[in-house]
Amino acid sequence: MGDHNTFGKLGEQKAVDYLKASGYDIVKRNYRYLKAEIDIIARQGDILVIIEVKSRTKGFLEDVSHVITPKKVKLLTMAANHFVEEMEADVEVRFDIVTVIKHADHFDIEHIENAFYHF
């Protein structure tokens, strides 16, 4: 596994730890449907939360609006819809982004709720 993949998995684990500490229940990680992948599916009360994790090093920062492209939104929406249909559940769905920025000796985590809308 390449260094970027290892770092990405570490970032996802940091995001999971953060979400659990914030009261979220983790339902599924790395859910795949066709060409789409959802990093984390969680529940916060009655809301199903689809979470895209972006892990970066301090020297590589991007505006999130450039990272989550319309194509990515379409793929996430398609996969989320499939997951909800599989669950046969009537739930509210929210799309969040968690950024994990690695500094020399620590990680900064930012959770953006309702980061984008699926319509």
Side-chain angles (χ1 to χ4, degrees), residues 32-94:
R32 293 181 186 273
Y33 175 67
L34 300 177
K35 293 183 178 184
E37 179 181 0
I38 300 171
D39 294 328
I40 302 169
I41 301 173
R43 284 192 82 106
Q44 182 186 38
D46 293 336
I47 301 171
L48 188 70
V49 186
I50 306 303
I51 302 162
E52 177 71 8
V53 178
K54 292 298 175 190
S55 304
R56 300 288 187 258
T57 58
K58 182 181 176 193
F60 185 73
L61 301 176
E62 294 177 79
D63 183 344
V64 170
S65 66
H66 297 287
V67 176
I68 307 296
T69 64
K71 180 180 179 181
K72 181 67 172 180
V73 169
K74 183 177 178 181
L75 288 170
L76 287 171
T77 301
M78 177 185 64
N81 185 60
H82 186 264
F83 183 81
V84 170
E85 286 177 357
E86 275 187 333
M87 285 179 32
E88 296 181 354
D90 183 22
V91 294
E92 179 181 342
V93 177
R94 187 178 82 209

Side-chain angles (χ1 to χ4, degrees), residues 101-113:
I101 309 298
K102 183 183 186 311
H103 298 276
D105 60 348
H106 71 282
F107 291 86
D108 285 334
I109 298 174
E110 181 181 4
H111 182 187
I112 305 164
E113 294 183 4

